[in-house]
Amino acid sequence: MSDALDIDALVDEARSYIEAAQSTEEIRQMTANVSGKKSPIAEAHRALGGLDPEERKELGRRLHGARTTIEELIERRRAEITFEELTREMAGARIDLTEFIPGAIVAPPARGHLHLVSQTRDALEDVFVGMGFEVAEGPEIETDWFNFGALNIPPAHPARGMWDTFYLNLGSPESTLLRTHTSPVQIHLMEDAVVNGGLPIHAVMPGRCYRRDTPDARHLPVFHQIEGLVVDRGITFADLAGTIEVFTTAYFGPDIHSRLRPAYFPFTEPSAEFEVTCTICHGEGCRTCSMTGWIELGGCGMVDPAVFDAVGIDTDEWTGFAFGFGIDRCAQMRHQIADMRALIENDIRFLRQF
Ligand code: FA5
């Protein structure tokens, strides 16, 4: 008992029991065996009583050290086992939803795709980029000047009635509004070109527009237009008509043609309405095109000199044309959608067809 090796062997034996324990229950049993009342260390303590005082003091100190070591080993193993058991329990508690959905493992979740209007905007941009146009964008919140004034529509001009406007702070000195068309982006581009020497301009400008229009089969209060602007030397109406026709056949296919009909816009002179063959009846006449065989897509014309004056472009040197048409209307025509409101109803059965 007084041999130091006995105490080391006692600790080693306890250690091997402690390390062998694999569960909370085994830890409980093992603790009783290696440090309980009937454990070898407890017996060694009891045997101290028969020793002389000096020997008892020395051996008592070493036995106390051995007990501390054993208790530390037990606590460390207990912590390890608690962690292992918790980890196992948490893994078991995770709900595997695929168990409840037959075929879920073999059928991955369906992937979404771009909305038809976004796809149409991208396709339109591609056609115009192929024709040599650049793509630009402008703000959706505009001042009165960009949406109307610079476009030759002064305050109280009767033409303002063409665009029923959502004003944001009507009556303030610099009133702001939600743009009613993409034409104000023309003004941004031309002002920028004048300041930074950016003429000539060949650009298209897609974007969202807002009007207090009552929704119906052909109108939404929030819709999309794509604007076109060319400012160069020697530009004529023939360039405009040719551009519209090339675009029409490139986007809608060789059977669909365009025609221009006289119209009025304050920012173009002369102005025209741009129509394409009705894709539903291929020009024969149907309910959608009111038996005319044609569908209106947008407006166009030669840039009015008053607009060039507003932005400071020299009308002796430069001429230009502009057009603006509905992206939603293009999607409607290309995919023969009877009612435009379907585009914003978010019915997944409709949307996933495109
Ligand atoms: C304009 O907005 C002019 N800025 C177009 C323009 C540009 C003319 C450059 C000349 C030069 P208009 O209000 O007609 O014009 O609208 C053009 C097209 O936008 C319409 O033909 C239609 O395709 C689409 N559009 C207009 N309002 C709506 C609406 N509420 N919902 C869906 N599409 C609309």
Side-chain angles (χ1 to χ4, degrees), residues 46-76:
R46 278 196 289 278
L48 287 179
L51 301 176
D52 66 61
E54 265 312 299
E55 207 178 355
R56 184 164 65 227
K57 191 175 167 199
E58 166 59 13
L59 203 57
R61 191 185 56 75
R62 289 178 49 213
L63 272 177
H64 179 72
R67 181 178 278 281
T68 308
T69 306
I70 288 170
E71 281 170 358
E72 281 173 5
L73 289 170
I74 292 173
E75 279 322 302
R76 195 177 311 156

Side-chain angles (χ1 to χ4, degrees), residues 163 181 183 211 213 219-220 223 225 227 296-299 324 326:
W163 298 280
H181 49 177
S183 298
R211 285 185 201 177
D213 282 350
H219 295 89
L220 299 172
F223 61 101
Q225 286 187 340
E227 191 84 7
E296 182 207 313
L297 270 195

Side-chain angles (χ1 to χ4, degrees), residues 27-47:
I27 285 271
R28 198 185 59 73
Q29 286 171 8
M30 173 275 295
T31 305
N33 292 341
V34 299
S35 72
K37 282 183 191 153
K38 293 184 186 159
S39 64
I41 197 150
E43 277 170 17
H45 264 289
R46 278 196 289 278

Side-chain angles (χ1 to χ4, degrees), residues 41-342:
I41 197 150
E43 277 170 17
H45 264 289
R46 278 196 289 278
L48 287 179
L51 301 176
D52 66 61
E54 265 312 299
E55 207 178 355
R56 184 164 65 227
K57 191 175 167 199
E58 166 59 13
L59 203 57
R61 191 185 56 75
R62 289 178 49 213
L63 272 177
H64 179 72
R67 181 178 278 281
T68 308
T69 306
I70 288 170
E71 281 170 358
E72 281 173 5
L73 289 170
I74 292 173
E75 279 322 302
R76 195 177 311 156
R77 186 69 190 133
R78 193 194 305 282
E80 283 169 7
I81 293 216
T82 307
F83 178 75
E84 283 165 15
E85 286 184 346
L86 253 176
T87 310
R88 265 199 302 276
E89 201 177 307
M90 281 163 67
R94 193 176 299 151
I95 300 170
D96 182 359
L97 289 175
T98 58
E99 278 177 20
F100 307 107
I101 309 169
I105 294 167
V106 283
R111 290 180 67 183
H113 59 72
L114 286 181
H115 188 279
L116 176 59
V117 173
S118 303
Q119 291 180 38
T120 307
R121 184 202 56 216
D122 290 352
L124 293 170
E125 280 180 21
D126 282 352
V127 171
F128 283 111
V129 167
M131 291 166 71
F133 285 78
E134 287 177 9
V135 179
E137 282 185 2
E140 290 177 22
I141 295 178
E142 282 292 10
T143 60
D144 194 277
W145 163 255
F146 281 101
N147 197 78
F148 292 125
L151 287 163
N152 197 27
I153 319 169
H157 191 286
R160 287 199 180 208
M162 294 167 74
W163 298 280
D164 209 350
T165 309
F166 288 108
Y167 284 93
L168 298 175
N169 56 353
L170 185 60
S172 81
E174 182 66 321
S175 77
T176 49
L177 46 83
L178 296 177
R179 70 178 175 195
T180 57
H181 49 177
T182 41
S183 298
V185 191
Q186 289 185 35
I187 304 300
H188 287 287
L189 284 194
M190 288 191 276
E191 281 191 347
D192 189 62
V194 168
V195 174
N196 298 312
L199 292 171
I201 297 170
H202 300 82
V204 286
M205 302 142 255
R208 201 178 286 136
C209 306
Y210 305 80
R211 285 185 201 177
R212 289 161 51 112
D213 282 350
T214 306
D216 63 23
R218 307 258 209 107
H219 295 89
L220 299 172
V222 181
F223 61 101
H224 303 77
Q225 286 187 340
I226 184 161
E227 191 84 7
L229 176 68
V230 169
V231 180
D232 207 336
R233 295 180 180 90
I235 295 293
T236 68
F237 200 92
D239 296 310
L240 167 61
T243 302
I244 297 277
E245 176 65 11
V246 169
F247 155 74
T248 304
T249 46
Y251 180 70
F252 288 104
D255 295 343
I256 307 297
H257 295 285
S258 64
R259 75 173 184 183
L260 301 177
R261 299 205 311 156
Y264 169 73
F265 294 101
F267 33 91
T268 45
E269 181 59 34
S271 302
E273 253 167 23
F274 152 37
E275 296 181 331
V276 294
T277 321
C278 175
T279 54
I280 291 160
C281 61
H282 284 266
E284 297 293 312
C286 66
R287 267 197 7 223
T288 309
C289 60
S290 311
M291 303 310 292
T292 62
W294 297 91
I295 295 278
E296 182 207 313
L297 270 195
C300 60
M302 301 303 290
V303 178
D304 194 295
V307 175
F308 281 145
D309 285 345
V311 294
I313 288 182
D314 181 359
T315 49
D316 288 336
E317 187 176 357
W318 304 97
T319 49
F321 67 75
F323 56 82
F325 55 88
I327 295 179
D328 319 73
R329 197 67 71 80
C330 281
Q332 185 177 22
M333 275 301 97
R334 175 116 164 217
H335 299 281
Q336 294 153 27
I337 297 164
D339 194 319
M340 193 186 273
R341 286 171 289 195

